[in-house]
Amino acid sequence: MNLAFLSPDAGLEHDNGPGHPECPERLTAIRDQLVAGGLDPWILHREALPAGRTDLRRVHAGAHIDRVLRHVPAGERVMLDGDTALSPGSHEAALLAAGAGMTAVDWVMGAENRRAFCAVRPPGHHARADRAAGFCLFNNVAIAARHAQARHGIRRIAIVDFDVHHGDGTESLVAGDPSILFASSFEHPAYPGSGVSPLGDNCLNVPVAGGSSGEQWRQAVAAAWFEQWDAFAPELVLVSAGFDAHREDELSRLALSEDDYAWITARIVELAERHAQGRVVSMLEGGYALHALGRSAVAHMRELGGL
């Protein structure tokens, strides 16, 4: 088995409140579709280790870490902003979501052609150094990247973010760093309203107009990314895998399908095989239409594992 699946049960205990699109059922939808799609016997289930304060400090300010970890709600939850909540179960979920990416990096670095998908909550790509935002508490993919550099000496990391929303938190954390190439496609205009002007030469941002088809999205990212990916020649590929650009997702006006997610995943795997000994770690970001999320995540995992 060359595909690991990490999905800590603590992610089910993070509670954003009734009717919130970023809900625990997102994880169960993916797990159920793994079984229904016949993929479950072919993947390696691995336990995640929690991130520690030193790991978080590579990315986040101490005051922000304290705000998340020490602010235990007296009741059901407290809101950090209009979209982002802390509940009694959020602390463990956040530490294991960040730790899952680190655990996955350690596993894929143990041999060639290993890949991993981390189905975690809360997501991470809107979290900045000093604040939570957009459903995100800690920036899981940035923490995984800094861990890969600190523990494994990785010199060049590509981060590919195909969530429907611009990965503004991740970009703010890596912009101008020549050791990381950040590629983000997103609907524009849409939340958070950023990304049209990249923050650094290492940021390949692809704003896509609402109403665009999967084919239009494919053409846009292929033109902006593929040659630059190969020129950069990453030693590890990390993915912020948001499935909310799906045509069934109400938070999106794009019209992607499972086939589009399979297509971009196949391109990511090909990149990793050319330059990174096949090593890819993917982390769940958005995706809120539950049936579409489950199908899309499984299509993504099939391509990651060559299944």
Side-chain angles (χ1 to χ4, degrees), residues 162-164 217-218 241-247 256-266 292 296-297 299-300 303:
F162 52 73
D163 191 277
V164 80
W217 173 80
R218 292 188 193 197
F243 301 103
D244 40 1
H246 196 284
R247 58 194 173 201
L256 273 60
S257 68
E258 300 95 297
D259 289 343
D260 296 308
Y261 293 120
W263 174 82
I264 191 60
T265 307
S296 298
H300 177 59
E303 293 295 333

Side-chain angles (χ1 to χ4, degrees), residues 6-301:
L6 296 85
S7 188
D9 286 341
L12 300 170
E13 303 304 318
H14 172 59
D15 180 13
N16 284 306
H20 198 290
E22 207 293 285
C23 59
E25 290 79 10
R26 298 179 65 231
L27 298 188
T28 55
I30 293 172
R31 296 176 184 184
D32 289 349
Q33 192 59 41
L34 273 178
V35 175
L39 207 62
D40 196 64
W42 302 100
I43 61 177
L44 179 65
H45 291 261
R46 291 189 63 86
E47 296 294 324
L49 298 175
R53 181 172 288 270
T54 298
D55 306 313
L56 301 177
R57 283 297 299 265
R58 295 191 184 108
V59 169
H60 292 290
H64 172 61
I65 298 168
D66 290 342
R67 190 178 305 119
V68 172
L69 298 184
R70 294 182 180 174
H71 197 163
V72 180
E76 292 184 350
R77 69 193 63 85
V78 295
M79 302 303 296
L80 297 179
D81 64 16
D83 299 313
T84 311
L86 274 178
S87 70
S90 297
H91 307 134
E92 184 180 7
L95 291 175
L96 281 166
M102 296 167 50
T103 304
V105 165
D106 291 343
W107 185 74
V108 303
M109 293 304 299
E112 294 184 9
N113 292 312
R114 283 184 174 179
R115 296 182 270 279
F117 179 64
C118 304
V120 296
R121 310 181 50 248
H125 73 153
H126 295 305
R128 295 185 174 234
D130 60 351
R131 66 180 184 271
F135 313 163
C136 305
L137 298 179
F138 297 133
N139 196 300
N140 304 321
V141 76
I143 291 167
R146 297 309 185 193
H147 174 75
Q149 292 173 325
R151 180 163 182 174
H152 299 283
I154 302 298
R155 295 168 298 173
R156 296 183 304 280
I157 299 174
I159 301 177
V160 182
D161 184 331
F162 52 73
D163 191 277
V164 80
H165 303 107
H166 173 229
D168 60 318
T170 308
E171 181 171 3
S172 73
L173 293 165
V174 305
D177 182 347
S179 72
I180 294 181
L181 183 70
F182 177 64
S184 175
S185 68
F186 50 92
E187 180 184 325
H188 181 78
Y191 178 89
S194 57
V196 173
S197 298
L199 299 180
D201 292 340
N202 63 321
C203 301
L204 307 178
N205 293 350
V206 183
V208 182
S212 296
S213 66
E215 181 57 35
Q216 290 170 314
W217 173 80
R218 292 188 193 197
Q219 292 175 1
V221 299
W225 289 352
F226 292 173
E227 289 188 9
Q228 297 294 327
W229 284 358
D230 277 319
F232 183 70
E235 297 174 332
L236 176 68
V237 183
L238 304 180
V239 183
S240 276
F243 301 103
D244 40 1
H246 196 284
R247 58 194 173 201
E248 296 176 21
D249 202 303
E250 294 184 357
L251 270 66
S252 167
R253 296 186 301 123
L254 299 185
L256 273 60
S257 68
E258 300 95 297
D259 289 343
D260 296 308
Y261 293 120
W263 174 82
I264 191 60
T265 307
R267 305 291 83 75
I268 290 168
V269 168
E270 290 167 359
L271 170 71
E273 289 175 340
R274 287 193 298 271
H275 302 291
Q277 298 183 349
R279 293 166 174 152
V280 180
V281 172
S282 178
M283 306 201 69
L284 179 65
E285 300 286 0
Y288 308 102
L290 296 180
H291 293 299
L293 169 62
R295 298 193 310 269
S296 298
V298 167
H300 177 59
M301 282 186 275

